[in-house]
C-alpha cells in the first residue's frame, strides 16, 4: 500500500451490493449516461447486469468491427469501463473525442495506455486494496501447494493410485514451509500482505523493490539475484508492464536454485517463461507455482505436464467477496465521475 494510504475496508458479502441497490438513488435520473464497456466482466457476479441497469451501455465486445462501432457510438461518450484483461489502448482512447474517464475493474492497469490518457486529460481509475488479501492468500496457497506437492498428491489420489501402491516412493517428499527464507519481488500493497502472512510461518523475510522502504520491518536486497540466492522461496508481486518484463530471468531463477520455489501471482511476463521451463527441466530450479502466464490463456505444455509446476488460471482475486467489492468500486468510480467529475481511486 502507498505510504499513508489507509486499507479499504472490505464489507461482508451481504452488504456489498447494498449501496448500489437502492432504487431511490437513481429516481431523479431522467436519462442514463451512455458508457462504453470494452469487454464482458463475467468474472464478477453481477457487474454486467449492474452496469446495464445504471447506464446505457455500448457493449463493445459484441461488435465484430470495433473501429466502426467506435466511430458510430463514440461521440458523446465520456466514460469507458474496462479491465486489465480488456485494456484501453491509444487507438480506443483517441477514437473517443469526448472521453474523460476510464474505470477499470482490477488493480493492474498495464494494458491501459496511461500516457495516451494523460495526453488527453482522461482520468483512469483501478480497484486497489479490495483484492489485496485474496491475492496474498492465493500466493500462500501456491507456495504451500508447491512445497508440499499438493497437486501431485491430489493427482495421485484421483488416479486411484493410492490403493494400488505406496505413497512414499511414488511421490517424492516435499519441503518444509515454516521457518524458511521468503523473498518478495515488489513490496507494494499485495507484496506487503504476503510478507505479513509470513510472520505466521516464522519466516525470515526480505524484499527487492524499486526503492528501499523505511516503513517496513523487512530486509531490503538491492540486487534481485542476491535476493534469490538468499531465499528458499521467491514470490513475485510486482506490477506488470514494460518496466518489469523478464525481471525474473535465467540468472535469478538459477540463483534460487534446485530446491527453490518461485511463485507468481503478479503478471506472467515478469518471469521469462522460456528460461523458467529450461531451469525446471535442467533441475536448476525446484518448482514454479503460478497463477499467471506470459501468454494467457496459453500455458506451456512443459508446465502442464510437470510435477514441478503448480498451475492456476489467474484466479488471484476470484472470490465472491472480492469480486463483488471490485465491481462496487468500479460503480463507485463511475458514479463519482458523473456526479463530481472525479473518480475515487485514480490509478496514478
Ligand atoms: C483480474 C487482476 O482477474 O486485478 C488485477 O490486476 O489481475 C485480477 O484481479 C484481472 O483484472 C482481470 O482482467
Amino acid at each position: 500500500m502507498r505510504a499513508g494510504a489507509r486499507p479499504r475496508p472490505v464489507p461482508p458479502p451481504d452488504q456489498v451490493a447494498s449501496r448500489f441497490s437502492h432504487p431511490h438513488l437513481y429516481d431523479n435520473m431522467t436519462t442514463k449516461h451512455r458508457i462504453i464497456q470494452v469487454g464482458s466482466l463475467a468474472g464478477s457476479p453481477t457487474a454486467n447486469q449492474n452496469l446495464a441497469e445504471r447506464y446505457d451501455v455500448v457493449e463493445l465486445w459484441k461488435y465484430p468491427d470495433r473501429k466502426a462501432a467506435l466511430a458510430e457510438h463514440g461521440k458523446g461518450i465520456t466514460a469507458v469501463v474496462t479491465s486489465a484483461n480488456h485494456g484501453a489502448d491509444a487507438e480506443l482512447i483517441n477514437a473517443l473525442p469526448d472521453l474523460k474517464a476510464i474505470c477499470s475493474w482490477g488493480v493492474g492497469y498495464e494494458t491501459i495506455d496511461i500516457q495516451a490518457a494523460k495526453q488527453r486529460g482522461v482520468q483512469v481509475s483501478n480497484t486497489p486494496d479490495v483484492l489485496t488479501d485474496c491475492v496474498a492468500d492465493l500466493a500462500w496457497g501456491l507456495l504451500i501447494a508447491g512445497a508440499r506437492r499438493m497437486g501431485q498428491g491430489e493427482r495421485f489420489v484421483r488416479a486411484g493410485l493410492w490403493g494400488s501402491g505406496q505413497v512414499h516412493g511414488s511421490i517424492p517428499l516435499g519441503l518444509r514451509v515454516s521457518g524458511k527464507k521468503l523473498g518478495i519481488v515488489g513490496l507494494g500493497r499485495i507484496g506487503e500482505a504476503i510478507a505479513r502472512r509470513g510472520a505466521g510461518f516464522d519466516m525470515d523475510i526480505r524484499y527487492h523493490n524499486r526503492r528501499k522502504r523505511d516503513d517496513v520491518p523487512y530486509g531490503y536486497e538491492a540486487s534481485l539475484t542476491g535476493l534469490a540466492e538468499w531465499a528458499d522461496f521467491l514470490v513475485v508481486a510486482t506490477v506488470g508492464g514494460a518496466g518489469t518484463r523478464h525481471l525474473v530471468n535465467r540468472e535469478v531463477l538459477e540463483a534460487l536454485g534446485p530446491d527453490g520455489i518461485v511463485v507468481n501471482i503478479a503478471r506472467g511476463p515478469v518471469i521469462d517463461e522460456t528460461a523458467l521451463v529450461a531451469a525446471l527441466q535442467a533441475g536448476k530450479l525446484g518448482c514454479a507455482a503460478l497463477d499467471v502466464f506470459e501468454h494467457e490463456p496459453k500455458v506451456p505444455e512443459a508446465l502442464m505436464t510437470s510435477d514441478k509446476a503448480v498451475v492456476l488460471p489467474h484466479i488471484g482475486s476470484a472470490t465472491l467477496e472480492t469480486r463483488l467489492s471490485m465491481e462496487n468500486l468500479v460503480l463507485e468510480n463511475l458514479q463519482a465521475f458523473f456526479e463530481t467529475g472525479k473518480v475515487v481511486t485514480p490509478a496514478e
Side-chain angles (χ1 to χ4, degrees), residues 41 83-86 104-110 127 131 135 265-267 292 314-318 322-323 326:
L41 298 180
S83 69
N85 206 11
H86 302 307
S104 188
W105 179 83
V107 69
Y109 52 88
E110 76 283 0
T127 60
L131 46 67
V135 179
I265 47 77
R267 287 292 186 256
V292 289
H314 198 149
I315 53 167
S317 66
T322 287
R323 287 287 169 86
M326 289 162 66

Side-chain angles (χ1 to χ4, degrees), residues 138-309:
L138 195 86
W140 277 93
L142 280 168
L143 198 167
I144 298 170
R148 301 302 308 272
R149 299 182 177 275
M150 285 164 66
Q152 206 176 345
E154 209 207 9
R155 287 191 290 280
F156 180 79
V157 174
R158 283 181 188 273
L161 295 172
W162 197 10
S164 59
Q166 287 288 324
V167 176
H168 305 296
S170 302
I171 301 176
L173 292 173
L175 290 171
R176 180 186 168 103
V177 173
S178 294
K180 291 282 179 69
K181 294 182 204 149
L182 177 67
I184 296 178
V185 187
L187 202 74
R189 299 179 186 87
I190 295 173
E192 209 182 330
I194 293 167
R196 275 198 305 276
R197 283 155 176 74
F201 289 86
D202 301 320
M203 287 204 181
D204 193 358
I205 299 165
R206 295 187 189 173
Y207 69 99
H208 172 78
N209 218 19
R210 273 170 296 189
R211 282 177 299 275
K212 182 179 182 307
R213 290 180 50 174
D214 299 321
D215 58 340
V216 290
Y218 316 114
Y220 176 66
E221 288 282 347
S223 147
L224 176 52
T225 306
L227 180 70
E229 243 162 45
W230 169 85
D232 297 304
F233 310 131
L234 193 70
V235 180
V236 181
T238 184
V239 296
T244 56
R245 185 172 177 275
H246 289 188
L247 184 67
V248 178
N249 56 18
R250 183 175 62 84
E251 184 185 294
V252 174
L253 294 167
E254 291 185 6
L256 192 54
D259 292 323
I261 298 178
V262 66
V263 174
N264 192 0
I265 47 77
R267 287 292 186 256
V270 180
I271 300 183
D272 178 343
E273 209 165 68
T274 307
L276 176 80
V277 169
L280 285 173
Q281 286 177 335
K284 293 181 175 173
L285 175 70
C287 172
L290 311 166
D291 186 42
V292 289
F293 299 86
E294 202 164 344
H295 307 288
E296 286 173 21
K298 274 199 227 148
V299 177
E301 186 66 21
L303 294 180
M304 293 226 260
T305 53
S306 171
D307 281 329
K308 293 179 176 178

Side-chain angles (χ1 to χ4, degrees), residues 112-126:
I112 297 175
D113 194 326
I114 292 285
Q115 267 329 97
K118 274 190 182 152
Q119 268 166 19
R120 288 273 320 280
V122 173
Q123 303 173 58
V124 176
S125 69
N126 62 344

Side-chain angles (χ1 to χ4, degrees), residues 19-20 25-26 28-29 33 55 331-343:
R19 180 161 173 199
F20 296 96
L25 282 177
Y26 301 94
N28 60 359
M29 276 187 179
H33 292 286
Y55 299 99
L331 294 172
E332 202 178 324
N333 273 301
L334 267 178
Q335 189 176 334
F337 165 70
F338 283 119
E339 286 178 5
T340 70
K342 284 227 171 307
V343 296

Side-chain angles (χ1 to χ4, degrees), residues 8-89:
R8 181 169 284 270
V10 180
D14 58 333
Q15 287 174 25
V16 164
S18 63
R19 180 161 173 199
F20 296 96
S21 29
H22 295 304
H24 70 266
L25 282 177
Y26 301 94
D27 279 354
N28 60 359
M29 276 187 179
T30 45
T31 48
K32 289 176 175 179
H33 292 286
R34 204 148 60 86
I35 63 169
I36 284 182
Q37 188 179 340
V38 179
S40 168
L41 298 180
S44 209
T46 47
N48 288 341
Q49 184 194 329
N50 275 328
L51 286 165
E53 274 169 19
R54 287 156 181 72
Y55 299 99
D56 177 8
V57 181
V58 178
E59 295 175 320
L60 195 58
W61 73 98
K62 293 190 176 166
Y63 290 83
D65 184 343
R66 180 164 148 151
K67 228 175 173 170
L70 288 171
E72 193 186 336
H73 302 288
K75 202 162 178 342
I77 293 276
T78 53
V80 158
V81 169
T82 190
S83 69
N85 206 11
H86 302 307
D89 57 15

